Amino acid sequence: GENVEQHPSTLSVQEGDSAVIKCTYSDSASNYFPWYKQELGKGPQLIIDIRSNVGEKKDQRIAVTLNKTAKHFSLHITETQPEDSAVYFCAASVTGGFKTIFGAGTRLFVKA
Amino acid sequence: EPEVTQTPSHQVTQMGQEVILRCVPISNHLYFYWYRQILGQKVEFLVSFYNNEISEKSEIFDDQFSVERPDGSNFTLKIRSTKLEDSAMYFCASSRRLAGGSTDTQYFGPGTRLTVL
């Protein structure tokens, strides 16, 4: 069945450093890849997404890259701040489908 | 900015009891979803709903689960006879209809924490 693998499970960085989270998906039909940030006690909040017709997308300090051939996609956060500390989930779905498959999550700690 | 809302924020119930979790999706969205997240684990898809019927469901969504859109604004998840292992956060999500009839970005509510004793 469909699966999304996410690494690392925990990531600790110093404030100002970059953080990279990597995901791999199994369903070659997947063409939409959102990233969600989940803070304690809250629901997942969309922070950025990418569609399969582009290889990279950037929004201020956040960027995502997609390698369709390798079925890899990554989240890059630059100049990390303590408020970036949260659990980050990658996900994959098929536009026109309904099910979104989530990765297991990465707990990011940004130390001041 | 429009948001998905969910009530209650926390529900405690006895094993075997029925619970109804409620959601108000974003008003112009037409696709609705329920997900669950067992403590410390990944978010898992339960069911999607469009045009007043289930469009897709996972193996988790067995006969004890049902969904309903009782009016123009609410979307509910009913668990008929709760089990201990149903204890989890339940998230509602909604998405809009794109040109051509497809959908993509799902917006999540804050969740209902269900505790089954």
Side-chain angles (χ1 to χ4, degrees):
Chain A
E2 307 105 328
N3 190 40
V4 174
E5 298 286 336
Q6 183 172 349
H7 300 280
S9 56
T10 305
L11 180 59
S12 185
V13 299
Q14 204 66 37
E15 182 178 4
D17 288 349
S18 295
V20 180
I21 302 170
K22 299 184 178 183
C23 290
T24 304
Y25 60 98
S26 62
D27 185 358
S28 56
S30 297
N31 59 0
Y32 176 66
F33 307 92
W35 285 87
Y36 290 90
K37 176 183 181 182
Q38 186 178 30
E39 296 175 299
L40 195 63
K42 297 185 180 180
Q45 297 297 306
L46 180 75
I47 55 171
I48 195 167
D49 56 15
I50 190 167
R51 290 174 172 79
S52 60
N53 58 345
V54 298
E56 186 172 354
K57 182 177 178 180
K58 189 172 182 180
D59 182 3
Q60 299 182 347
R61 297 187 297 110
I62 297 173
V64 290
T65 58
L66 172 65
N67 182 330
K68 281 173 53 181
T69 303
K71 297 184 192 171
H72 289 170
F73 58 116
S74 300
L75 176 72
H76 304 251
I77 306 173
T78 58
E79 300 172 32
T80 53
Q81 301 164 4
E83 51 265 38
D84 294 330
S85 297
V87 178
Y88 290 82
F89 290 97
C90 62
S93 67
V94 178
T95 300
F98 304 100
K99 182 190 302 186
T100 294
I101 304 299
F102 281 77
T106 295
R107 187 172 295 279
L108 175 64
F109 297 96
V110 180
K111 296 175 286 187
Chain B
E1 186 174 316
E3 293 180 334
V4 176
T5 60
Q6 291 184 242
T7 54
S9 56
H10 192 186
Q11 174 88 49
V12 181
T13 189
Q14 294 290 327
M15 189 171 57
Q17 294 296 303
E18 174 184 287
V19 294
I20 298 176
L21 310 183
R22 302 179 193 280
C23 168
V24 178
I26 295 173
S27 62
N28 63 343
H29 286 186
L30 299 178
Y31 298 83
F32 315 116
Y33 314 83
W34 284 101
Y35 291 81
R36 81 171 184 191
Q37 184 180 34
I38 295 170
L39 186 64
Q41 297 186 23
K42 68 166 67 176
V43 178
E44 299 175 291
F45 171 80
L46 292 178
V47 66
S48 59
F49 190 86
Y50 171 69
N51 201 25
N52 283 319
E53 61 183 22
I54 291 173
S55 42
E56 194 168 359
K57 61 182 181 180
S58 72
E59 58 276 9
I60 303 169
F61 194 87
D62 60 23
D63 291 345
Q64 70 161 346
F65 291 93
S66 62
V67 289
E68 190 178 30
R69 186 152 165 84
D71 53 44
S73 60
N74 290 283
F75 179 53
T76 62
L77 174 70
K78 181 190 290 187
I79 309 175
R80 187 152 19 109
S81 177
T82 50
K83 303 190 286 272
L84 295 176
E85 53 265 38
D86 293 328
S87 295
M89 282 290 285
Y90 288 81
F91 293 107
C92 174
S94 69
S95 63
R96 63 193 175 103
R97 177 183 169 90
L98 300 174
S102 65
T103 188
D104 54 20
T105 306
Q106 297 179 19
Y107 295 88
F108 284 73
T112 293
R113 181 173 298 283
L114 177 65
T115 301
V116 182
L117 303 176

